[in-house]
Amino acid sequence: MKAAVGGYARARDLRHALELLSSADGAGRVLAGGQSLVAALNMRLTTGDVLVDIASLDECRGVVDEGETLRIGALTRHAEIGRDPLIRTHAPLLADAVGHIAHAAIRNRGTIGGAIAHADPAAEFPACALALGAVMHVEGLGGRRSIPAEAFFRDTFETALADGEILTEISVPKAAAGEAQAIEEVARRSGDYALAGLCLVRREGRHRIALFSVGPKPTLAAGAMAALDGGDVEAAVAALTDEIDPPSDTQASGAYRRHLAGVLLRRVVARIEGEAR
Amino acid sequence: MNEIVRDRIDVALTVNGEPVEARVPAGQHLIDFLRLELGLTGAHASCEHGVCGACTVRVNGDAVRGCLMLAAQADGAEVWTVEGLTDTGEIADLQEAFVARNALQCGFCTPGMLVAAQELLAREDAPSRAEIREHLSGNYCRCTGYEAIVDAVETVATARAGKGGA
């Protein structure tokens, strides 16, 4: 179908974008790469939006090494994340995730900030942000805020972003020495949304497990994390399958998704142990 | 002044090397602008939600979905369609290989396949069949011609690598 939009404006810079959003009387939608938003417009899941195109905001682009953290501009495209040497070295989870995100042509335009702000429960980058302990930097006309990933994702397509705020940057802690990061997912076809997916970060002996496509938002599996800290993979799988309650839909039953989550946990643990050897 | 345009947006871009200026509806897809306004009907509008890849065109050097980009977003962009890539001869060897391997039946997906394949070959010197499959996984062929398409792309990859190495 064709998109039905309520208007369009090109922002010159961040301040201008925020002013445009505020003048749109609640109908404003931030248009970055558009790979989810334009698809939603085409399917008429949303109509009448006033699109504020932020593509030219150069201050929201690129990856900067800040010592302890990497600061990633929200407009950095998936394909750029995939080939960025700083990301590959210090946040390899994000680089690995790119290969799972849709197809090459989508990765050429989709942005990390767009994916995180959109908060699709089946998307890879929100779960990566949660597993890595990322911090989202957002800006509104009233000022700047920094929101940890745990507080950022609230529900299906719902985040802590307030009306009129724009996600500008994401800070990711740089991987410690010997840190392991891995992502695994099961999808029906390469590039499709995952039936279930799992990110694992092992940082100084502590584990963080973030799941996607098994609930309304990316979630940390606290029980499984504690079991893995104790070195017990079987207990971690048992804890994991107890602490999630995946939905059933036309793609997969909840029970199958729960089973897949356990399979993915075993697989990802085997992978990081194999790589450590 | 209200800068939010409800209806028509001015854009200036280059398409297949030619400058184009136009006033486009706010919600018009790039693919529809190319097809309906410029008569460049090589790339096709099909699923219109980014799944099938029939609308794939090149924007600022990258293969992108023409149905997931608005014409308004193309202001200042350099756009190439299968027509332009044909005229410059850039994909002539791919097109010959598609014909030789019968890598098309109805041909509906072919322009998107060619643009996507050319992007892969420009970035990877010697992609494996698995890499070719993965890269083209975003392009549907409803005639189920994938095997021949992968053959054709592999043939060109090998031939170009041979030329480059000579």
Side-chain angles (χ1 to χ4, degrees):
Chain A
M1 269 192 289
K2 309 301 180 189
V5 308
Y8 173 93
R10 229 172 258 140
R12 290 184 299 272
D13 52 37
L14 182 57
R15 178 84 198 175
H16 186 217
L18 294 171
E19 284 167 357
L20 286 167
L21 271 185
S22 121
S23 69
D25 296 329
R29 290 289 293 271
V30 177
L31 176 61
Q35 300 303 283
S36 295
L37 177 54
V38 177
L41 292 167
N42 292 355
M43 289 188 274
R44 303 277 171 111
L45 297 173
T46 174
T47 59
D49 299 285
V50 170
L51 306 176
V52 175
D53 186 347
I54 62 167
S56 63
L57 271 55
D58 289 334
E59 62 263 51
C60 296
R61 213 179 302 280
V63 183
V64 179
D65 187 338
E66 295 199 309
E68 301 287 303
T69 56
L70 287 185
R71 190 169 275 248
I72 304 167
L75 286 177
T76 310
R77 299 181 191 280
H78 302 334
E80 292 167 341
I81 298 272
R83 51 179 181 252
D84 187 280
L86 284 173
I87 301 261
R88 175 59 66 191
T89 306
H90 301 297
L93 180 65
L94 293 175
D96 289 349
V98 170
H100 292 288
I101 301 173
H103 307 285
I106 307 273
R107 300 195 287 261
N108 280 339
R109 278 196 71 75
T111 66
I112 187 169
I116 287 176
H118 186 54
D120 190 315
E124 289 83 359
F125 276 156
C128 291
L130 192 56
L132 291 167
V135 175
M136 311 325 154
H137 304 284
V138 311
E139 190 156 343
L141 283 175
R144 291 175 62 93
R145 298 194 291 149
S146 296
I147 309 166
E150 284 88 339
F152 189 80
F153 302 105
R154 290 193 170 164
D155 207 338
T156 307
F157 302 123
E158 195 187 317
T159 69
L161 272 168
D163 271 350
E165 281 183 329
I166 293 177
L167 172 61
T168 57
E169 292 170 318
I170 299 125
S171 289
V172 178
K174 281 161 71 173
E179 178 164 328
Q181 303 182 0
I183 179 170
E184 288 277 350
E185 69 174 53
V186 174
R188 300 212 304 183
R189 174 185 71 135
S190 172
D192 281 359
Y193 279 116
L195 299 178
L198 189 150
C199 305
L200 175 62
V201 172
R202 184 175 62 204
R203 183 173 293 164
E204 289 161 355
R206 302 293 300 255
H207 296 80
R208 276 173 76 89
I209 299 170
L211 292 135
F212 51 103
S213 250
V214 299
K217 60 176 185 175
T219 22
L220 286 177
M225 284 155 54
L228 268 196
D229 288 350
D232 191 337
V233 179
E234 287 314 309
V237 170
L240 177 66
T241 49
D242 275 351
E243 65 192 315
I244 57 173
D245 185 19
S248 295
D249 58 28
T250 54
Q251 304 278 312
S253 68
Y256 181 49
R257 285 198 161 91
R258 179 179 280 122
H259 167 75
L260 285 179
V263 170
L264 292 174
L265 180 56
R266 283 201 185 86
R267 200 176 279 176
V268 85
V269 168
R271 214 174 102 197
I272 65 174
E273 285 180 351
E275 282 168 6
R277 237 176 259 136
Chain B
M1 190 188 88
N2 189 352
E3 298 167 273
I4 295 166
V5 185
R6 303 275 165 198
D7 186 15
R8 295 190 160 255
I9 320 294
D10 290 326
V11 292
L13 61 158
T14 68
V15 179
N16 296 333
E18 304 278 337
V20 173
E21 288 185 18
R23 185 160 280 190
V24 300
Q28 183 174 49
H29 298 153
L30 175 62
I31 189 66
D32 286 336
F33 173 69
L34 295 171
R35 290 176 57 81
L36 304 175
E37 305 304 321
L38 304 186
L40 297 166
T41 55
H44 295 122
S46 182
C47 77
E48 295 188 330
H49 60 283
V51 173
C52 78
C55 63
T56 306
V57 294
R58 184 190 292 173
V59 176
N60 295 333
D62 296 321
V64 308
R65 299 283 200 244
C67 76
L68 291 188
M69 183 167 172
L70 302 177
Q73 292 176 281
D75 185 51
E78 183 184 334
V79 177
W80 287 87
T81 69
V82 73
E83 289 91 343
L85 299 178
T86 301
D87 288 347
T88 62
E90 183 183 330
I91 55 170
D93 53 355
L94 264 174
Q95 288 164 314
E96 280 170 28
F98 267 59
V99 172
R101 273 307 277 115
N102 199 25
L104 66 162
Q105 290 184 50
C106 82
F108 188 87
C109 71
T110 311
M113 288 284 182
L114 290 168
V115 174
Q118 175 64 7
E119 176 177 62
L120 173 69
L121 296 185
R123 289 187 180 168
E124 299 280 334
D125 282 343
S128 65
R129 286 182 75 82
E131 285 168 325
I132 295 168
R133 278 186 187 284
E134 173 61 30
H135 190 84
L136 296 179
S137 66
N139 292 66
Y140 278 177
C141 163
R142 293 189 180 204
C143 309
T144 72
Y146 298 105
E147 199 67 24
I149 293 167
V150 174
D151 287 345
V153 174
E154 186 184 33
T155 302
V156 173
T158 308
R160 287 191 192 177
K163 267 184 206 156

